[in-house]
Amino acid sequence: MYAVIGAGPMGLATARVLQKHGLPFTGFELHAGVGGLWDIANPQSTVYESAHLISSKRMTEFAEFPMRPEVAAYPRHDELKRYFVEFAEHFGLVRHYEFSTKVMRAVRVADGGWDVTTEHAGTTRTRRFAGVLIATGTLHHPFQPPLPGSFSGSVMDSAQYKSPEQLRGQRVLVVGCGNSGADIAVDAVRSAASVDISLRRGYWFLPKFLKGRPIDTLGGLIKLPRPLKQRIDGLMVRMVVGKPSDYGLPDPDYRLYESHPVMNSLVLHHLAHGDITPRKDIAQVTGSRVTFADGTSAEYDTILQATGYALHYPFIDRASLNWAADAAAPALYLNVMHPSDDTLFLMGMVEASGLGWQGRYEQAELVALYLKRLAERHPAALALQAEKRERFARRIDGGFKYLKLDRMAYYVHKDSYLKALRRHTRALLR
């Protein structure tokens, strides 16, 4: 029996492939139902009322369970919650889960298994499992760096933001311009007295649609060499939306695809119309006044930090995950397999442009097949066991020079990553 922790997209994908391959499991979910962060009623959810997918539905959905035709190209959070409920019901996954159950501790024991301690309705229980598959996601623990000084107003993180009503009538400074920061800045225009956005570095901004189609569905038929693709796609983006400096923002000092792009051209629209004021990095905060790196300053009522998320698995020791104290992420083969432990898997600790939930499903399928075939001493499983011990530190970046940021520590090149997954999967299926 295996323990699956989490019932969001990755947890459900993991549960489905274990079920499909006849591997028994029990799932644990802190919330009362499935959906993970896409259930805005979930206290652990970090989505907000206006949140939509930043990849299109056809590039994101599970292949064996497509989204309904009437669902929008970029669905809103409530449509996605419905999708995961339908997915879980269709495959009969709910009966395998214990909901409103917190995993308190997962500890490796001498016999090779795991003792998993859970708490439900005030009752604590410890059970023994053959293995643990952690699928709690990567976007639920905010990274909130300290401000340089003392702010007299309200400081909030993007994870606390749900509605523009929270910012009504306020002078708002959004710090950071990833996808959440851009969304929230656009949202705030509707209700705030003023909206400024502070950037430390440049970003690539992509529109969601091009020629009436989701931008991530275009191209790909002709495989271009990496440098040529970066150059051509970069020129196309500049032709369609211009340079960030055209809107008062810093230009990226790196090529397209070397960091996660911002799928939001509305923020550029509002910058161009004066609804949002661009600001440099914060240099000093004193009372309600914020001074920026270029010497300008302004007063604010609220600072909203959209500064990303940190990996967080509080119920298990970092050492068990092969996670060095000074590293932003555990060192795992294919971002999922421990180099020497065949009973512990960190599901979904992977990010890539265009990978979608189907790519994560394929990751889960490899894990399920590995567990099944390893028990049979299948040659391909034994070969994979040896390879992951030797090559766990190899990064599947496809030759891209990803920025040295914490959030990019587990970023991969989609095509290279899927090729590696499928190579092992084919071998395990023979």
Side-chain angles (χ1 to χ4, degrees), residues 318-378:
R318 288 174 66 110
S320 297
L321 294 170
N322 199 38
W323 191 355
D326 60 347
L332 305 175
Y333 184 66
L334 296 177
N335 288 43
V336 64
M337 292 181 161
H338 192 284
S340 59
D341 193 331
D342 294 317
T343 64
L344 178 64
F345 301 89
L346 194 46
M347 314 299 299
M349 190 201 72
V350 60
E351 187 65 64
S353 181
L355 187 65
W357 296 320
Q358 179 58 28
R360 292 163 174 83
Y361 181 102
E362 291 188 33
Q363 181 199 76
E365 183 136 54
L366 174 61
V367 169
L369 282 169
Y370 177 68
L371 290 170
K372 185 176 181 178
R373 293 302 207 179
L374 190 62
E376 301 167 356
R377 310 304 291 171
H378 190 283

Side-chain angles (χ1 to χ4, degrees), residues 4-253:
V4 175
I5 305 175
M10 193 68 237
L12 294 178
T14 302
R16 168 58 185 149
V17 297
L18 291 176
Q19 175 201 60
K20 187 168 72 172
H21 292 288
L23 297 171
F25 68 94
T26 297
F28 300 106
E29 168 55 44
L30 185 57
H31 187 46
V34 304
L37 67 83
W38 291 107
D39 182 357
I40 200 170
N42 183 344
Q44 286 72 48
S45 173
T46 55
V47 302
Y48 32 89
E49 288 181 1
S50 62
H52 291 68
L53 270 180
I54 60 170
S55 54
S56 65
K57 67 176 182 179
R58 295 300 177 222
M59 299 299 290
T60 310
E61 65 194 3
F62 295 123
E64 66 174 349
F65 195 77
M67 294 189 197
R68 289 174 283 106
E70 63 270 24
V71 172
Y74 292 94
R76 201 172 72 169
H77 63 85
D78 50 354
E79 191 65 72
L80 295 170
K81 162 67 185 309
R82 183 182 304 125
Y83 175 70
F84 292 120
V85 168
E86 291 172 353
F87 180 89
E89 290 176 347
H90 180 80
F91 292 110
L93 302 178
V94 173
R95 62 187 175 87
H96 293 281
Y97 271 90
E98 297 180 13
F99 293 99
S100 302
T101 300
K102 182 177 183 178
V103 174
M104 307 295 292
R105 195 74 179 146
V107 180
R108 195 81 153 85
V109 291
D111 71 356
W114 288 84
D115 276 353
V116 177
T117 301
T118 58
E119 187 272 329
H120 172 75
T123 300
T124 301
R125 183 181 179 190
T126 299
R127 280 165 280 183
R128 182 71 48 88
F129 291 92
V132 174
L133 293 84
I134 301 171
T136 52
T138 61
L139 301 175
H140 58 84
H141 186 72
F143 171 68
Q144 197 169 7
L147 295 169
S150 178
F151 184 59
S152 61
S154 171
V155 179
M156 63 186 296
D157 187 88
S158 58
Q160 299 169 289
Y161 174 79
K162 297 299 177 185
S163 162
E165 285 302 311
Q166 294 171 265
L167 306 176
R168 180 162 295 281
Q170 299 179 44
R171 298 166 296 176
V172 177
L173 175 64
V174 177
V175 181
C177 194
N179 284 288
S180 293
D183 282 355
I184 293 170
V186 169
D187 256 8
V189 167
R190 297 159 47 193
S191 60
S194 65
V195 182
D196 293 4
I197 190 163
S198 169
L199 277 71
R200 185 176 57 181
R201 62 181 179 87
Y203 295 80
W204 284 89
F205 292 86
L206 274 62
K208 284 191 170 181
F209 289 92
L210 189 62
K211 298 180 66 176
R213 291 175 55 190
I215 195 169
D216 59 359
T217 65
L218 300 173
L221 294 178
I222 301 174
K223 299 297 182 183
L224 298 174
R226 175 188 52 77
L228 184 59
K229 178 175 176 58
Q230 286 180 290
R231 181 173 177 78
I232 291 175
D233 289 1
L235 288 172
M236 180 193 70
V237 171
R238 291 283 166 85
M239 180 178 66
V240 173
V241 301
K243 298 187 296 183
S245 56
D246 296 333
Y247 304 88
L249 302 176
D251 290 324
D253 57 0

